[in-house]
């Protein structure tokens, strides 16, 4: 089975200029825990997840610092740069091995340099549970 058969194609993205508040709102609206970060040309340049936000919040030493973090910090400042991407024709087992090796929960899918989807551990587990893989 190929990644293209399991990947989610309705992607919510966020720009490098968005604030942490914007990211939290986007997480809630899309019911996801991570978003690909796109530059002004629409290229995936990073990923921001609840993990990065919680890490940044943990470094705040006061309520005022937390407020500044959420309202004034851009996603670009806390994102993990250069998200791992795979081809839609990659075998799902190879994608799962890549996730394990890199200790990531999701891989973004690119075709001809364009972001076309995301495959997560949850997608793979659901397919295994339904005996699709």
């Amino acid at each position: 089975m190929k990644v293209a058969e399991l990947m989610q194609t309705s992607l919510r993205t966020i720009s490098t200029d968005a604030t942490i508040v914007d990211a939290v709102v986007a997480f809630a609206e899309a019911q996801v825990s991570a978003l690909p970060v796109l530059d002004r040309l629409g290229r995936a340049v990073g990923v921001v997840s609840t993990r990065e936000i919680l890490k940044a919040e943990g470094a705040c030493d006061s309520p005022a610092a937390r407020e500044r973090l959420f309202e004034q910090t851009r996603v670009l400042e806390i994102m993990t740069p250069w998200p791992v991407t795979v081809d839609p024709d990659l075998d799902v087992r190879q994608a799962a091995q890549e996730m394990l090796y890199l200790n990531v929960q999701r891989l973004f899918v690119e075709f001809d340099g364009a972001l076309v989807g995301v495959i997560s551990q949850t997608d793979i587990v659901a397919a295994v549970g339904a005996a699709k893989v």
Side-chain angles (χ1 to χ4, degrees):
M1 177 174 274
K2 303 294 182 191
V3 165
E5 298 172 63
L6 291 182
M7 71 182 187
Q8 304 297 313
T9 57
S10 69
L11 284 178
R12 177 81 187 256
T13 62
I14 196 158
S15 78
T16 54
D17 293 330
T19 64
I20 304 303
V21 167
D22 297 330
V24 170
V25 168
F27 291 158
E29 289 176 355
Q31 297 181 353
V32 297
S33 60
L35 295 167
V37 180
L38 306 183
D39 67 10
R40 290 188 176 125
L41 299 175
R43 296 176 299 202
V45 295
V47 61
V48 65
S49 71
T50 53
R51 185 183 305 181
E52 284 90 12
I53 292 173
L54 290 172
K55 183 178 176 183
E57 184 180 19
C60 293
D61 57 1
S62 69
R66 272 189 203 86
E67 187 174 329
R68 280 192 305 277
L69 170 75
F70 280 87
E71 294 178 3
Q72 298 175 10
T73 304
R74 295 180 312 140
V75 167
L76 176 69
E77 298 173 57
I78 68 161
M79 72 178 192
T80 299
W82 310 117
V84 178
T85 61
V86 295
D87 190 271
D89 288 330
L90 184 68
D91 185 80
V92 169
R93 287 181 185 91
Q94 289 176 293
Q97 289 171 344
E98 189 80 5
M99 286 182 209
L100 286 171
Y101 175 73
L102 296 171
N103 193 29
V104 297
Q105 286 79 41
R106 69 200 53 80
L107 299 170
F108 293 101
V109 184
E110 282 189 345
F111 182 72
D112 283 341
L115 193 60
V116 295
V118 63
I119 186 165
S120 69
Q121 290 176 349
T122 303
D123 298 324
I124 295 170
V125 169
V128 169
K132 292 181 180 179
V133 176

